[in-house]
């Protein structure tokens, strides 16, 4: 190839005019360069510098998933997380897949339930999660989420953590056989309530099969620093719950609120995500709309969406 033609091709590639030219063609021209990511050319990263996709959890709609799907679609939010009650509300996973496709929503994750410590419940629990995983698969979803076993005050023993980590690994392997990844969701009132509890579970679980869905508000309320957790678990971080929390002495000590309404340092979280080069989903979640602030889940979602876009520069 002549020098002028080679320079011409390189110039086009650098400008983004060529996004389908194969690496073999460049090799024949004697040019070594990485493959171009056409997705980035068509859909530039957020102005925050984080390659981040925003979804929203249907939990605030109190088991009315169809309404949640319709509302989130009108807001232009591209992803959704559903709970296992959708299996009953929309029994046909293909019908759910088509419903989401028509509304341009990605099925990011399915909340599948818990993993109790009681050995007598082990097989029943596995059967339930596999039923949900198969539904997720048929509906075109991505991830299965499981909450660890309940624990009063977040207390646990080394034996509890070992059992939980190995149990989650067993479930995760079965989920992987369907082509999906499983994540553990740190949560108040469970073994994973504190940073130490979450770490104990993760240390006992196989990182190939048990990833982390980091909930920012639960981690903060449990005594941790969410930004530090992003950096610590960056190689295991599958996706996040973007959730805020404020002190509420009359409501058990804390209350989950819309993004920007609580005490969570989201700029620090996003800076941490940027520093570890995170690429993935952040699911905005509010466990029931903030009573007294707004009257409906969709109005609550608008508050969090506005915070992300106006305050943080995160394109939704």
């Amino acid at each position: 190839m002549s020098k002028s033609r080679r320079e011409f091709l390189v110039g086009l590639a650098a400008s983004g005019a060529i996004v389908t030219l194969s690496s073999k063609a460049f090799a024949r021209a004697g040019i070594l360069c990485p493959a171009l990511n056409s997705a980035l050319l068509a859909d530039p990263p957020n102005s925050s510098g984080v390659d981040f996709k925003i979804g929203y959890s249907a939990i605030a709609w109190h088991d009315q998933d169809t309404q949640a799907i319709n509302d989130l679609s009108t807001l232009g939010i591209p992803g959704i997380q559903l709970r296992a009650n959708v299996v009953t509300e929309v029994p046909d996973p293909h019908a759910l897949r088509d419903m989401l496709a028509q509304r341009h929503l990605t099925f990011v994750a399915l909340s599948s339930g818990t993993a109790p410590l009681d050995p007598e419940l082990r097989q029943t629990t596995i059967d339930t999660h596999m039923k949900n995983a198969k539904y997720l698969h048929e509906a075109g979803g991505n991830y299965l989420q499981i909450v660890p076993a309940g624990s009063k005050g977040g207390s646990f023993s080394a034996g509890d953590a070992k059992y939980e980590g190995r149990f989650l690994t067993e479930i995760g392997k079965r989920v992987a056989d369907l082509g999906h990844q499983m994540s553990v969701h740190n949560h108040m009132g469970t073994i994973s309530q504190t940073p130490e509890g979450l770490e104990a579970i993760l240390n006992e679980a196989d990182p190939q099969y048990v990833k982390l869905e980091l909930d920012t508000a639960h981690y903060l309320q449990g005594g941790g620093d969410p930004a530090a957790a992003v950096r610590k678990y960056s190689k295991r971080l599958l996706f996040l719950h973007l959730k805020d929390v404020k002190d509420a002495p009359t409501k058990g000590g804390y209350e989950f609120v819309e993004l920007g309404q609580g005490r969570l340092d989201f700029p620090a979280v996003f800076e941490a995500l940027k520093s570890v080069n995170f690429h993935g989903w952040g699911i905005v979640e509010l466990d029931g709309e903030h009573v007294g602030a707004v009257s409906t889940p969709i109005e609550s979602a608008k508050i969090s969406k506005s915070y992300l876009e106006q305050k943080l520069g995160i394109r939704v």
Side-chain angles (χ1 to χ4, degrees), residues 117 147-161 164 185-201 218-219 221-223 254:
L117 293 171
V147 175
S151 175
K152 187 176 181 179
S155 61
F156 65 95
S157 68
D160 292 338
E164 191 72 8
H185 171 13
N186 61 293
H187 204 287
M188 295 294 290
T190 74
I191 299 175
S192 63
Q193 173 172 308
T194 65
E196 295 78 15
L198 176 62
E199 183 173 13
I201 294 173
H218 281 284
Y219 198 82
Q221 187 61 35
Y254 65 94

Side-chain angles (χ1 to χ4, degrees), residues 18-289:
I18 296 178
V19 296
T20 59
L21 188 61
S22 72
S23 58
K24 290 182 179 179
F26 279 107
R28 286 195 297 269
I31 303 168
L32 298 177
C33 65
L36 292 170
N37 186 342
S38 59
L40 292 179
L41 297 174
D43 192 18
N46 280 294
S47 58
S48 66
V50 181
D51 183 11
F52 206 64
K53 294 170 284 189
I54 296 295
Y56 205 97
S57 172
I59 191 173
W61 278 258
H62 305 296
D63 298 342
Q64 298 180 28
D65 290 327
T66 301
Q67 185 62 50
I69 290 168
N70 289 331
D71 284 350
L72 294 175
S73 176
T74 64
L75 292 181
I77 292 175
I80 189 169
Q81 177 168 356
L82 299 166
R83 292 195 294 170
N85 59 276
V86 73
V87 176
T88 301
E89 184 176 346
V90 188
D92 181 359
H94 301 106
L96 177 65
R97 179 194 61 197
D98 295 343
M99 185 189 305
L100 294 174
Q102 290 167 6
R103 291 160 179 78
H104 309 289
L105 277 166
T106 296
F107 188 2
V108 180
L110 179 67
S111 305
S112 187
T114 64
L117 293 171
D118 188 347
E120 292 187 3
L121 299 176
R122 189 181 186 93
Q123 190 56 53
T124 301
T125 300
I126 291 173
D127 293 343
T128 297
H129 290 311
M130 289 313 301
K131 175 186 175 182
N132 292 339
K134 290 174 183 176
Y135 182 94
L136 173 80
H137 180 76
E138 294 295 326
N142 293 343
Y143 311 131
L144 194 77
Q145 171 199 289
I146 295 180
V147 175
S151 175
K152 187 176 181 179
S155 61
F156 65 95
S157 68
D160 292 338
K162 179 177 290 187
Y163 180 91
E164 191 72 8
R166 294 182 179 182
F167 189 19
L168 289 169
T169 298
E170 182 178 354
I171 298 170
K173 287 180 178 179
R174 294 170 185 245
V175 173
D177 288 340
L178 292 174
H180 297 277
Q181 290 180 301
M182 190 206 77
S183 63
V184 60
H185 171 13
N186 61 293
H187 204 287
M188 295 294 290
T190 74
I191 299 175
S192 63
Q193 173 172 308
T194 65
E196 295 78 15
L198 176 62
E199 183 173 13
I201 294 173
L202 292 176
N203 285 344
E204 295 291 345
D206 189 329
Q208 181 178 350
Y209 300 109
V210 181
K211 305 299 182 181
L212 172 63
E213 178 273 293
L214 177 67
D215 187 298
T216 56
H218 281 284
Y219 198 82
L220 178 65
Q221 187 61 35
D225 176 353
V230 167
R231 292 185 171 91
K232 180 175 184 176
Y233 298 115
S234 61
K235 294 182 179 179
R236 206 163 179 173
L237 188 60
L238 188 60
F239 69 106
L240 295 92
H241 274 177
L242 301 175
K243 185 187 298 181
D244 209 344
V245 62
K246 73 173 186 179
D247 295 331
T250 62
K251 296 184 178 182
Y254 65 94
E255 179 183 13
F256 297 125
V257 292
E258 294 84 5
L259 303 190
Q261 306 297 304
R263 55 189 178 87
L264 206 138
D265 187 351
F266 282 105
V269 170
F270 278 93
E271 182 59 35
L273 290 167
K274 182 179 178 181
S275 73
V276 300
N277 197 31
F278 178 79
H279 300 277
W281 286 92
I283 301 294
V284 179
E285 186 181 64
L286 188 57
D287 297 355
E289 65 271 18

